[in-house]
Amino acid sequence: MPSQTGKRVLLLHNARARQGESALEPVCGRLEAGGLTVTVEPFENLPEIASDITRLHRTADAVVVCGGDGSISSAAPAIIDSGLPLGIIPAGTANDLARTLSIPLDFAAAADVIVAGHKRQIDVGTVNGHAFFNVASIGLSSELAQRLDPGIKKRFGRLGYAVAALRILAGARRFRARIVEKGSGTIVKTYQIAIGNGRLYGGGNVVEKTAAIDDGTLDLYSLEMRNLWKLAVMVRAFRTGTHGAWKEVRTARCVEFDIETRLPMPINTDGEIVTATPAHFRVLPAAVTVFTPSDAEAAKYPVRLYHS
């Protein structure tokens, strides 16, 4: 195991994240006990993250983001530019990237992964220049991200998501879109178009059963059923990534997609609204180096959906 003694860590800390405040003490304690020198830089809104990394990366040997999936994705462009490895302390609601990478949801254990020093290169997805690790979506998920009050999200976690989702489903309508893949366009009527870079999203759904965050491709699905009640019987398929077997779900795999809609529609990336259609999606293969458990260590951490 390579020694981390003397290495400098820039720790970006979101105290407003659902678990952020309680994470700081155990994380700093474990990192410092492992021989790392830690500089804590707090942030209150997502645009601050990239500017903080750009401003301070020359004083660090690694960047650690303590926050949710949206915070980590916001850091991605500056991480790529800096060339520094990324450590993840999952302090959000769903923490899908951490679970995709088998990073434990226990704060101290996640810090131990960084101390151990094992690294892995992963892909980054982009839409109109905005980075995402898990999934970008148009339709139902974007409406959920817009309507979910941050206070409710922090206080009630997945219950807050569930209540907001039920309200959205009750009034959902299909929209018309054009999906362009390899120069060929297809017109669809859909409730949602999702494009995944990683494997997990939405608190444990699987983008596609063979998807991986280092496979150099993006996976698309489009929900084209006439009635949303069908989703109730498709829940298990989304949990296992086999939803593409249903005739109502269009799927595709490519390195680039374009999505066009009659009017601009908001796009949700890893829980945050960042841009709108028309949208160009592409994958950046092996763009970020991340601290992850080794295969042997990953087996010790069974995947859990949320912090207890």
Side-chain angles (χ1 to χ4, degrees):
M1 179 188 301
S3 172
Q4 296 281 79
T5 301
K7 295 284 182 72
R8 303 162 300 169
V9 168
L10 173 63
L11 174 59
L12 282 299
H13 171 245
N14 182 6
R16 298 173 64 182
R18 187 161 184 259
Q19 301 284 335
E21 190 172 349
S22 58
L24 192 57
E25 185 176 344
V27 167
C28 288
R30 289 297 182 97
L31 294 177
E32 290 169 352
L36 298 169
T37 301
V38 181
T39 299
V40 177
E41 184 69 22
F43 64 90
E44 293 189 356
N45 55 69
L46 298 186
E48 287 183 44
I49 304 172
S51 61
D52 287 342
I53 295 171
T54 299
R55 177 170 52 89
L56 298 170
H57 75 272
R58 291 183 180 84
T59 67
D61 300 301
V63 174
V64 174
V65 178
C66 179
D69 287 322
S71 297
I72 300 166
S73 291
S74 295
I79 292 288
I80 294 171
D81 288 344
S82 75
L84 295 176
L86 169 66
I88 296 170
I89 305 297
T93 302
N95 302 305
D96 287 301
L97 178 59
R99 290 181 297 110
T100 291
L101 298 173
S102 299
I103 294 171
L105 301 188
D106 177 82
F107 301 129
D112 288 342
V113 169
I114 298 166
V115 171
H118 180 267
K119 302 184 189 77
R120 173 183 174 186
Q121 288 186 304
I122 63 172
D123 304 338
V124 175
T126 68
V127 52
N128 293 348
H130 298 272
F132 63 96
F133 283 107
N134 302 322
V135 73
S137 57
I138 306 162
L140 295 175
S141 294
S142 292
E143 291 185 46
L144 177 58
Q146 287 178 292
R147 295 193 195 182
L148 185 60
D149 179 85
I152 297 294
K153 177 180 177 180
K154 184 171 183 178
R155 182 176 180 183
F156 296 107
R158 59 178 174 175
L159 178 60
Y161 273 111
V163 172
L166 288 174
R167 291 175 178 169
I168 289 167
L169 289 173
R173 298 289 184 272
R174 292 195 296 177
F175 63 93
R176 187 180 297 272
R178 182 171 183 258
I179 301 172
V180 181
E181 172 195 358
K182 298 177 182 176
S184 178
T186 303
I187 303 295
V188 302
K189 290 189 71 175
T190 181
Y191 284 103
Q192 173 162 294
I193 297 172
I195 296 179
N197 170 67
R199 179 168 176 79
L200 298 176
Y201 73 101
N205 293 317
V206 177
V207 171
E208 201 279 333
K209 65 179 180 180
T210 62
I213 200 166
D214 56 2
D215 61 8
T217 61
L218 301 173
D219 288 279
L220 175 149
Y221 75 76
S222 173
L223 299 180
E224 298 172 15
M225 67 278 291
R226 291 185 177 273
N227 298 297
L228 269 181
W229 63 263
K230 196 74 173 282
L231 284 178
V233 296
M234 296 172 64
V235 170
R236 182 173 176 80
F238 280 98
R239 286 288 175 176
T240 58
T242 56
H243 43 278
W246 291 75
K247 64 179 182 179
E248 296 90 349
V249 181
R250 180 186 306 273
T251 61
R253 174 171 287 176
C254 200
V255 297
E256 293 185 86
F257 291 99
D258 286 282
I259 308 294
E260 303 165 1
T261 55
R262 186 172 64 86
L263 296 174
M265 294 186 66
I267 300 174
N268 168 22
T269 62
D270 293 344
E272 306 292 336
I273 302 297
V274 298
T275 186
T277 55
H280 177 67
F281 297 82
R282 70 187 184 106
V283 65
L284 305 178
V288 171
T289 300
V290 185
F291 292 102
T292 65
S294 64
D295 291 343
E297 287 297 311
K300 298 179 182 180
Y301 303 116
V303 172
R304 292 188 292 121
L305 294 186
Y306 300 95
H307 285 287
S308 57

